[in-house]
C-alpha cells in the first residue's frame, strides 16, 4: 500500500463515522427531500413553531440512523436564525437509559440542560425545589454535603449529578424516581418559573425559547406487566399533558413503533398535530425498479465525504475510489436508503481494502457482515411476516410489525403521486433479502 492511499483510506474511514450527526451547514450534508417525500423539517416543524401564537409541543420520528439528528440540527439552526434560543440535547448521552426510561427521567433531563445552558435566569425556584427534597435525595446523589453550604454552581452541579445517576446507576434509578414522582407537579411549576424568567433575559437577538430533546426514539418499547399497554404509552400518552406543560416550544423524538401503533390517533389528538416521520431515501420504486434519483443521492453522500478528505485530488469516484460503478452502486442499494447502514458498510469495505480502489470483494465482505447482523435480529417467526411485506409493500398494525420497524428490518418510504397525494409504502431491508430463511419464506408464498 502506498502511504498516500493509506492516508486517504484512513481519512475517509473517519469522515464516514455514522454515529455523530452532521452539524448544520456541514459540507457533507446532502439534501434528500426529493427522495424522502419532500420531507423538510424547517417547514414541517419549524414553521409550526414560528407561526404559532401559543407554545407548541411536537413529536418527530423515524428509523434510527436515518438522519433525524442531522435534520434536528438543521431545525436548531433555522430557529436560531429566526430569533429562538435553542436548547438541544441528546438524551441518551447523559440523561436516560433507553432500556429503562420513564417520564420523570425526561423531566429531569430538560431541567438539567436548561439550568446548565441558561446562566442568567433566576434558578432560585428550581434550587428551592431541590433544597426541599435534599434530605431524601442527597444519598441518591451519592453525597453527604449540606445543600445550603454549597455555592450556586455546586448546587446546579448536584442537580446534574442526580440526573446522571438516573442513567448510569441502575440500583439508584428507581429510588430517584420514587422520591421525585410525587413532586413532578411542583418541579414543573418551578421549571416554568425558571423558563419565564429566562425568556426575559435571553441575549440579543433572541426573543423566544425552544427545547429539542433528541434520541428519545431510542427508548426500547416493552409491555408493562405483560399487558396491552407499553412503557411508551405511559411516557408519551399518559404523561402527554406534562410533556406539553413546559412554557416554551418543545420537540421530542419518539420511537417509530409508537407512530405506527394503534395509539397514532391519540398521539395526534394529544399533541394537536400528527407526529412528523422522516422516511428512508427511496432507492427503489414500489414496483421494484431502481429509483435513479435516490441512488444518485446515496452516491452523493459518499462523494461529499471523498471531497472532504481529498479536495485537491481528481480521483473519479466510480473508477478510482471504487473499482467499478457496479461496486459503488451495489453498496448504495444494499443500504436500503439508510444512511447509517451505508456508512457502516463503507467503513467495513475500507477495512477490507489494502490499496485504492475499493474492490467488489471488499464491498461484498462489508455487505455480508452487515447482513449477519440482520440475520441475528430477526426471530424465527419473523421470516413469514417479512416475506409478506416484501410482496405486499404493506404492514399490519400489530406488535410484530412494529418491532420489525423499530429494529429496521422493515423500512418506510414515501412519495407524492401525480395527484399530489402522499403515498407511504414499506419494504424489507435489502440485506435481509439475501438471507436463506427469508428466501425460503418467500418461496412458500409463491404459487
Amino acid at each position: 500500500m502506498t502511504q498516500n492511499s493509506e492516508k486517504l483510506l484512513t481519512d475517509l474511514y473517519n469522515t464516514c463515522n455514522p454515529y455523530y450527526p452532521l452539524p448544520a451547514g456541514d459540507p457533507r450534508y446532502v439534501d434528500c427531500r426529493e427522495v424522502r417525500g419532500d420531507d423538510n423539517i424547517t417547514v414541517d416543524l419549524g414553521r409550526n413553531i414560528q407561526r404559532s401564537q401559543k407554545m407548541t409541543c411536537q413529536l418527530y420520528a423515524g428509523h434510527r440512523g436515518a438522519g433525524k439528528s442531522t435534520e434536528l440540527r438543521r431545525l436548531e439552526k433555522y430557529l436560531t436564525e429566526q430569533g429562538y434560543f435553542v436548547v438541544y440535547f441528546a438524551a441518551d448521552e447523559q440523561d436516560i437509559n433507553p432500556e429503562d426510561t420513564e417520564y420523570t427521567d425526561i423531566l429531569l433531563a430538560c431541567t438539567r440542560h436548561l439550568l446548565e445552558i441558561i446562566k442568567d435566569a433566576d434558578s432560585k425556584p428550581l434550587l428551592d425545589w431541590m433544597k426541599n427534597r435534599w434530605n431524601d435525595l442527597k444519598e441518591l446523589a451519592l453525597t453527604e454535603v449540606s445543600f445550603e453550604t454549597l455555592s450556586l454552581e455546586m448546587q446546579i452541579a448536584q442537580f446534574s449529578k442526580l440526573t446522571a445517576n438516573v442513567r448510569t446507576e441502575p440500583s439508584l434509578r428507581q429510588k430517584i424516581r420514587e422520591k421525585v414522582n410525587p413532586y413532578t407537579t411542583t418541579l414543573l411549576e418551578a421549571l416554568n418559573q425558571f423558563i419565564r424568567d429566562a425568556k426575559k433575559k435571553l441575549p440579543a437577538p433572541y426573543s423566544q425559547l425552544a427545547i429539542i430533546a433528541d434520541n428519545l426514539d431510542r427508548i426500547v418499547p416493552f409491555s408493562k406487566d405483560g399487558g396491552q399497554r407499553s412503557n411508551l404509552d405511559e411516557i408519551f400518552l399518559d404523561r402527554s399533558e406534562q410533556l406539553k406543560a413546559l412554557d416554551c416550544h418543545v420537540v421530542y423524538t419518539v420511537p417509530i413503533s409508537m407512530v405506527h401503533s394503534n395509539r397514532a390517533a391519540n398521539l395526534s389528538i394529544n399533541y394537536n398535530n400528527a407526529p412528523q416521520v422522516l422516511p428512508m431515501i427511496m432507492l427503489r420504486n414500489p414496483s421494484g425498479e431502481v429509483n435513479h434519483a435516490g441512488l444518485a443521492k446515496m452516491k452523493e453522500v459518499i462523494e461529499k465525504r471523498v471531497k472532504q478528505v481529498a479536495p485537491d485530488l481528481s480521483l473519479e469516484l466510480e473508477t478510482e475510489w471504487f473499482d467499478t460503478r457496479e461496486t459503488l452502486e451495489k453498496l448504495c442499494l444494499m443500504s436500503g436508503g439508510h444512511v447509517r447502514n451505508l456508512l457502516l458498510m463503507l467503513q467495513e469495505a475500507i477495512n477490507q481494502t489494502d490499496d485504492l480502489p475499493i474492490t467488489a470483494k471488499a464491498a461484498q465482505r462489508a455487505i455480508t457482515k452487515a447482513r449477519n447482523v440482520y440475520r441475528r435480529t430477526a426471530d424465527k417467526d419473523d421470516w413469514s411476516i417479512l416475506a409478506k411485506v416484501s410482496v405486499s409493500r404493506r404492514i399490519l398494525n400489530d406488535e410484530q410489525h412494529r418491532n420489525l420497524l423499530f429494529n429496521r428490518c422493515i423500512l418506510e418510504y414515501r412519495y407524492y403521486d401525480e395527484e399530489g397525494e402522499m403515498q407511504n409504502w414499506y419494504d424489507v431491508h435489502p440485506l435481509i433479502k439475501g438471507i436463506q430463511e427469508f428466501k425460503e419464506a418467500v418461496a412458500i408464498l409463491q404459487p
Side-chain angles (χ1 to χ4, degrees):
M1 174 185 285
T2 65
Q3 184 176 359
N4 189 48
S5 286
E6 169 64 19
K7 184 178 188 311
L8 288 175
L9 288 168
T10 299
D11 289 347
L12 181 59
Y13 179 93
N14 284 286
T15 198
C16 289
N17 189 324
Y19 295 108
Y20 293 95
L22 298 180
D26 192 288
R28 292 170 292 176
Y29 178 75
V30 177
D31 185 351
C32 296
R33 283 177 289 179
E34 66 178 283
V35 287
R36 287 194 194 264
D38 280 339
D39 180 88
N40 187 345
I41 197 168
T42 62
V43 173
D44 300 331
L45 297 183
R47 286 185 183 171
N48 282 343
I49 293 172
Q50 185 183 1
R51 293 176 175 174
S52 176
Q53 295 180 342
K54 296 182 179 180
M55 296 301 109
T56 62
C57 180
Q58 301 180 86
L59 302 180
Y60 190 52
H63 295 283
R64 287 179 57 184
K68 291 187 304 302
S69 296
T70 294
E71 293 302 308
L72 287 169
R73 286 296 193 180
R74 288 184 59 238
L75 176 63
E76 177 187 19
K77 181 176 184 291
Y78 171 82
L79 292 175
T80 298
E81 292 170 348
Q82 305 304 315
Y84 291 80
F85 188 95
V86 181
V87 176
Y88 168 96
F89 65 93
D92 65 331
E93 291 182 358
Q94 296 178 311
D95 304 293
I96 69 165
N97 183 322
E99 300 284 340
D100 179 14
T101 302
E102 294 186 6
Y103 160 75
T104 303
D105 311 350
I106 299 171
L107 175 59
L108 289 171
C110 291
T111 303
R112 179 177 82 82
H113 286 278
L114 286 166
L115 267 175
E116 290 184 351
I117 294 174
I118 304 178
K119 303 291 187 181
D120 295 333
D122 182 10
S123 58
K124 186 176 184 299
L126 285 171
L127 296 179
D128 281 349
W129 181 93
M130 184 81 164
K131 182 172 66 176
N132 291 335
R133 314 276 95 72
W134 190 243
N135 285 336
D136 290 334
L137 292 173
K138 65 180 179 181
E139 65 182 77
L140 303 178
L142 301 181
T143 182
E144 292 297 328
V145 299
S146 171
F147 198 74
E148 291 83 351
T149 64
L150 297 174
S151 65
L152 177 62
E153 291 76 12
M154 287 303 297
Q155 288 179 344
I156 294 175
Q158 291 302 316
F159 199 104
S160 300
K161 188 175 180 181
L162 184 72
T163 62
N165 286 344
V166 171
R167 179 181 182 275
T168 61
E169 300 290 340
S171 62
L172 298 178
R173 188 177 301 138
Q174 191 56 38
K175 293 179 181 178
I176 293 173
R177 292 169 183 159
E178 290 171 358
K179 298 294 185 183
V180 173
N181 269 332
Y183 305 101
T184 53
T185 300
T186 55
L187 177 55
L188 265 173
E189 292 171 355
L191 182 55
N192 276 332
Q193 289 182 53
F194 175 85
I195 289 172
R196 285 189 283 270
D197 187 71
K199 288 192 287 189
K200 297 175 184 177
K201 299 175 179 177
L202 293 174
Y206 305 113
S207 59
Q208 280 290 355
L209 178 64
I211 297 173
I212 299 176
D214 197 2
N215 291 356
L216 298 177
D217 59 299
R218 299 183 181 184
I219 299 173
V220 177
F222 60 86
S223 297
K224 301 287 286 186
D225 302 322
Q228 295 296 313
R229 294 183 59 76
S230 73
N231 57 325
L232 301 181
D233 294 328
E234 291 190 358
I235 294 171
F236 294 102
L237 288 177
D238 298 350
R239 294 284 200 159
S240 60
E241 291 304 315
Q242 288 94 329
L243 287 172
K244 295 188 300 180
L246 298 184
D247 195 13
C248 63
H249 297 283
V250 188
V251 175
Y252 301 104
T253 52
V254 60
I256 191 171
S257 54
M258 184 73 172
V259 176
H260 284 281
S261 72
N262 55 10
R263 312 293 198 260
N266 289 337
L267 286 175
S268 298
I269 293 171
N270 287 17
Y271 293 91
N272 304 315
N273 212 338
Q276 296 296 322
V277 179
L278 179 69
M280 291 289 100
I281 295 169
M282 199 163 75
L283 294 182
R284 293 189 183 274
N285 298 326
S287 56
E289 72 270 13
V290 172
N291 183 300
H292 292 286
L295 180 58
K297 288 296 182 181
M298 294 304 272
K299 289 182 181 179
E300 189 179 351
V301 168
I302 298 176
E303 188 171 27
K304 286 200 170 184
R305 283 162 170 78
V306 163
K307 287 183 177 179
Q308 185 181 55
V309 302
D312 300 324
L313 290 181
S314 57
L315 297 178
E316 290 294 328
L317 182 66
E318 295 184 350
T319 58
E320 294 177 283
W321 283 93
F322 290 85
D323 59 356
T324 65
R325 174 173 58 84
E326 288 76 17
T327 297
L328 169 63
E329 290 186 353
K330 184 175 184 180
L331 205 62
C332 291
L333 290 170
M334 293 307 295
S335 73
H338 189 279
V339 176
R340 182 177 293 171
N341 276 170
L342 174 66
L343 296 179
L344 285 171
M345 287 190 293
L346 180 55
Q347 283 189 321
E348 182 58 29
I350 292 170
N351 280 343
Q352 298 292 331
T353 300
D354 292 326
D355 202 353
L356 287 174
I358 297 170
T359 65
K361 180 179 179 181
Q364 186 59 47
R365 288 286 180 87
I367 290 167
T368 299
K369 185 173 182 178
R371 179 175 287 132
N372 282 335
V373 173
Y374 284 90
R375 179 182 283 109
R376 293 190 293 267
T377 299
D379 294 330
K380 63 181 180 65
D381 295 331
D382 290 334
W383 300 115
S384 60
I385 294 174
L386 292 168
K388 291 175 184 177
V389 171
S390 73
V391 173
S392 69
R393 302 293 197 255
R394 298 176 180 176
I395 61 172
L396 299 180
N397 191 0
D398 62 25
E399 186 173 355
Q400 283 182 290
H401 285 81
R402 288 193 289 273
N403 288 338
L404 291 168
L405 277 166
F406 184 79
N407 292 329
R408 301 171 300 286
C409 293
I410 297 174
L411 302 177
E412 178 178 359
Y413 302 92
R414 181 192 307 161
Y415 69 97
Y416 282 87
D417 63 20
E418 294 178 354
E419 297 179 355
E421 288 291 326
M422 181 190 293
Q423 301 294 334
N424 290 74
W425 64 283
Y426 305 85
D427 201 1
V428 173
H429 198 298
L431 290 168
I432 290 176
K433 294 183 178 182
I435 298 174
Q436 185 61 32
E437 291 89 338
F438 173 80
K439 293 178 181 179
E440 292 171 357
V442 171
I444 293 173
L445 294 179
Q446 295 173 344

